[in-house]
Amino acid sequence: MSAAGPRPTIRDVAARAGVSRAAVSLAFNDKPGVSETTRAHILRTAQAMGWEPNRSARARGRRGTGTVGLAICRPARQLGLEPFYMDFVSGIGSVLTEHSGALLLRLVRDMDEEIELQHHWWRSGQVAGSVLVDLRRDDPRVPALAKLGMPVVAVAHPSLAGPFTALWTDDGTAVTEAVRYLAALGHRSLARVGGPAELGHSALRREAFTAAMAELGLPEGRQSDTDYSGGAGARATRSLLASAGRPTAIMYDNDLMAVAGLSVAAEMGLRVPADVSLLAWDDSQLCRLTHPSLSAMSHDIHAFGADVARAMYDVIGGARVAPRQVPTPTLTPRGSTGPPPS
């Protein structure tokens, strides 16, 4: 039986080991009634078939309870600084608490490690389902987890989610709104500091930025790909502000990079917004604590996480959940945006 196949059943193991299903059940549950030799033979057979001890079968068997998995490909230090995932996880946790559930959170280095981890979680019964984040186009996790028959909710546009239930924000519309707002203030030279180019939502934002600039008859504008960290946001900002014909407004794909960009502008002797306007995505407390406070594309990330958790429990319970778009981020103007320098 392949590693990607369904979890072996008691019937499968009994047939392979040449024993009764009752004997397999006793061995799996570590109950008396079979000899130690037979128990060891059954467990060796089961493990060779890809079976692992199920630590949460009881919880998974009850609708609305159980552990939900979430793997994130981020350095631990960066994740601790990134407000989006802190709010998102707290939203998930608020619903898990209502269902006496738990969140199994792991940081991974890459998608191969996550696929292996998800296989282990499902085969060992540690999770009743998983939430997939940061999906890519042609993401290998989608077919791998679909083969497992694992309940999954994808935080992504339906075009990226394959057969899984998708919950997403309309990033394209939000980017278009931001570009139109800056253009209405009089800006013609705009730039965008984005996340990793391979992420599906980064690609959607990049395409929307390019389309909105063209629609308004503005120059194409520079776009930079980063890893979402403050350091990468600072480097991208420094490069933009030191270039010939520097932009008069910069959009950032998260608040951490926007805060770093604000520091770089001050370091270079530029006033915000008199010399350059800055606009962040996500709108955490960070945006309101800076001076000037950062204009931002705002959405309720905590509520988004709660919506994802509710959809996850519906899927675990066997419901067919239609793809759902959560409210689009809306523009919250603050002190960091204004007309371009005259």
Side-chain angles (χ1 to χ4, degrees), residues 89-103:
V89 167
S90 72
I92 292 176
S94 68
V95 174
L96 298 184
T97 299
E98 295 171 5
H99 291 260
S100 301
L103 179 67

Side-chain angles (χ1 to χ4, degrees), residues 97-324:
T97 299
E98 295 171 5
H99 291 260
S100 301
L103 179 67
L104 183 54
L105 174 65
R106 280 279 299 274
L107 304 184
V108 295
R109 292 183 297 270
D110 52 40
M111 284 189 291
D112 288 340
E113 182 179 354
E114 180 176 346
I115 290 170
E116 183 178 348
L117 174 67
Q118 296 281 7
H119 281 169
H120 171 68
W121 278 350
W122 183 244
R123 288 189 172 285
S124 63
Q126 292 185 63
V127 300
S130 273
V131 175
L132 280 187
V133 295
D134 289 340
L135 274 81
R136 295 148 170 80
R137 286 177 173 164
D138 300 318
D139 196 306
R141 294 173 296 175
V142 172
L145 271 60
K147 287 180 182 178
L148 286 177
M150 183 185 205
V152 168
V153 170
V155 180
H157 189 272
S159 64
L160 305 170
F164 300 133
T165 294
L167 270 72
W168 79 100
T169 57
D170 188 352
D171 289 3
T173 295
V175 168
T176 300
E177 180 186 0
V179 171
R180 288 175 178 168
Y181 162 70
L182 292 170
L185 290 176
H187 293 277
R188 292 188 55 79
S189 178
L190 278 62
R192 171 180 163 269
V193 177
E198 66 272 14
L199 296 184
H201 62 262
S202 291
L204 291 171
R205 293 180 190 183
R206 169 180 285 275
E207 292 162 4
F209 181 86
T210 299
M213 296 290 280
E215 175 192 317
L216 295 170
L218 299 177
E220 184 175 352
R222 291 173 58 184
Q223 300 194 61
S224 303
D225 301 321
T226 73
D227 62 2
Y228 282 133
S229 69
R235 287 189 294 273
T237 303
R238 194 171 291 110
S239 175
L240 287 167
L241 295 181
S243 64
R246 71 174 182 238
T248 61
I250 305 174
M251 297 168 48
Y252 296 85
D253 266 18
N254 74 357
D255 35 19
L256 190 60
M257 294 194 297
V259 171
L262 184 61
S263 296
V264 168
E267 165 198 311
M268 298 178 70
L270 297 174
R271 298 165 299 163
V272 176
D275 297 316
V276 61
S277 288
L278 306 180
L279 190 150
W281 199 280
D282 292 335
D283 193 17
S284 69
Q285 283 290 334
L286 283 178
C287 296
R288 294 181 282 278
L289 294 174
T290 59
H291 182 73
S293 56
L294 284 162
S295 297
M297 302 306 296
S298 306
H299 58 131
D300 192 337
I301 301 166
H302 180 93
F304 188 14
D307 284 344
V308 168
R310 293 187 191 100
M312 182 79 262
Y313 278 126
D314 287 342
V315 173
I316 290 170
R320 293 182 62 85
V321 181
R324 186 165 75 250

